[in-house]
Amino acid sequence: MTETQVRRAVTAERTELAELLAGLDAASWDAPTLCAGWRVREVVAHITMPYRLSSARFTLGMLAAFGNFNRMADRTAREDAATLSTADLLKSLWDNVDHPWRPPGGGLSNALSHDVIHGLDITVALGLDRRVPEDRMRMVLDTIEPRTAKLFGAKLGGIELRADDLDFRYGSGTVLSGRAQDLLLVLCGRKLPAGYLRGEPAERFTAPG
């Protein structure tokens, strides 16, 4: 994929997520997501953090978190979700659908992955059957490497992830199947609602109740 194609995919993904969020009611914004401890508003605060966080606030946040980025990001998401209104968070996303942000050390495809994964954190948890377009899904899957699962703490030893809607396989062992976008969430350490995964290991990656 060319950079222009990936950039268009990023803009489209953010635009579609903003449109979806604009249709949510107040209760949905306070509903839990697949990100442990985060409601929809915390996830949106996190997605839009790179657009709003000044260099000074980032540095102070990292110092307060003793250099732990995940701790800083969690604290920032909670603070911003508490202080910014739903309208503010949504406006931040709308205003930055074509923002050139890229994760530290990553490229534009990694920015797309960030948006797709967190969008799924919201839609899957809310029971919304949104399908990530195939071309975007393939771009995201192309960024997957062994350190991805390690980064998110996914324990996939002895398991082969096998998509039943795209030509995607990862790992080796007992087969865990499902849609590619759902297996992406497994790779990112998420537990999914019942019925999304198939195979003997499915229970291990399914949220209780």
Side-chain angles (χ1 to χ4, degrees):
M1 293 291 178
T2 67
E3 181 163 329
T4 298
Q5 288 174 309
V6 180
R7 186 176 297 281
R8 287 174 181 164
V10 169
T11 300
E13 183 66 20
R14 291 176 187 163
T15 299
E16 290 172 22
L17 179 59
E19 291 171 344
L20 183 148
L21 292 169
L24 297 184
D25 57 22
S28 295
W29 277 84
D30 286 325
T33 68
L34 299 188
C35 286
W38 283 4
R39 300 165 296 172
V40 170
R41 64 179 61 254
E42 277 84 19
V43 174
V44 179
H46 177 70
I47 291 172
T48 58
M49 181 182 76
Y51 320 141
R52 297 179 288 96
L53 201 63
S54 67
S55 297
R57 189 182 173 202
F58 175 83
T59 301
L60 289 173
M62 287 295 288
L63 288 172
F66 299 100
N68 186 309
F69 176 80
N70 289 335
R71 187 180 300 143
M72 183 279 293
D74 179 68
R75 184 176 296 164
T76 301
R78 294 176 188 276
E79 290 174 354
D80 290 353
T83 57
L84 296 174
S85 68
T86 298
D88 289 334
L89 292 169
L90 189 55
K91 184 177 186 302
S92 182
L93 183 57
W94 274 122
D95 288 349
N96 293 283
V97 293
D98 57 356
H99 195 284
W101 173 79
R102 304 170 189 218
L108 199 57
S109 293
N110 298 102
L112 176 64
S113 297
H114 185 264
D115 293 331
V116 166
I117 292 164
H118 286 305
L120 289 169
D121 283 330
I122 293 171
T123 57
V124 172
L126 293 180
L128 304 176
D129 188 26
R130 183 196 178 234
R131 298 292 295 269
V132 178
E134 182 176 325
D135 61 333
R136 285 177 229 165
M137 198 68 238
R138 291 187 184 280
M139 291 181 197
V140 173
L141 294 175
D142 282 345
T143 69
I144 298 299
E145 52 188 5
R147 68 174 181 172
T148 303
K150 184 177 181 181
L151 176 67
F152 289 102
K155 301 186 185 304
L156 300 175
I159 292 176
E160 177 188 333
L161 303 181
R162 185 184 298 174
D164 52 25
D165 59 342
L166 295 179
D167 182 17
F168 172 73
R169 295 185 179 189
Y170 180 92
S172 61
T174 307
V175 174
L176 178 68
S177 63
R179 295 185 300 184
Q181 65 185 49
D182 299 326
L183 298 181
L184 173 65
L185 291 172
V186 171
L187 273 162
C188 294
R190 273 52 166 184
K191 289 197 172 185
L192 279 67
Y196 278 74
L197 304 170
R198 289 170 295 285
E200 184 274 328
E203 187 175 351
R204 284 176 48 191
F205 302 98
T206 298

